Amino acid sequence: MTEIKKRVLSFSSGKKIKLFGTCIGISPSLELGECYVPNMLSQSAGLEKENPIALNNPNRFTVEELMELADYNMRLWLEFKEKIRQCGIAPKIFNKDAMV
């Protein structure tokens, strides 16, 4: 199973790819890229002794909005997998209508 540890993306095949960002993202056009900034929801060291971890949520997402965001991204990844099954690795896998 693929995993990311210490900015290295490791595949079950043994292939390893050094990442500059902290995660892999998918766009509505089904293009993949590295994500650099955890600026929507993240954790950081808290200033208070009793709360060593602080939650950064600058957009004030609700639980429902975070669930919706997770569903959206899962839908894109599932669509990506289906396109790969149908087309293999070819330009046809991309959603041309969503290209920026």
Side-chain angles (χ1 to χ4, degrees), residues 18-76:
K18 174 83 170 114
L19 299 176
F20 296 98
T22 58
C23 63
I24 305 295
I26 187 167
S27 72
S29 63
L30 302 183
E31 294 172 294
L32 307 182
E34 291 184 53
C35 303
Y36 295 95
V37 183
N39 60 357
M40 296 179 78
L41 185 70
S42 62
Q43 64 178 353
S44 64
L47 299 176
E48 300 100 33
K49 208 175 197 180
E50 57 276 351
N51 188 16
I53 302 294
L55 176 71
N56 296 321
N57 185 2
N59 297 296
R60 296 188 176 113
F61 289 122
T62 63
V63 169
E64 292 80 16
E65 290 166 338
L66 289 171
M67 295 292 193
E68 190 176 332
L69 183 59
D71 288 340
Y72 172 73
N73 275 279
M74 287 187 289
R75 182 178 54 82
L76 289 176

Side-chain angles (χ1 to χ4, degrees), residues 62-99:
T62 63
V63 169
E64 292 80 16
E65 290 166 338
L66 289 171
M67 295 292 193
E68 190 176 332
L69 183 59
D71 288 340
Y72 172 73
N73 275 279
M74 287 187 289
R75 182 178 54 82
L76 289 176
W77 283 108
L78 290 171
E79 187 177 341
F80 179 74
K81 283 179 71 171
E82 187 56 34
K83 290 272 188 120
I84 296 254
R85 283 187 189 106
Q86 291 173 358
C87 308
I89 300 174
K92 292 189 270 182
I93 64 173
F94 301 114
N95 287 335
K96 303 267 188 269
D97 298 339
M99 291 280 202

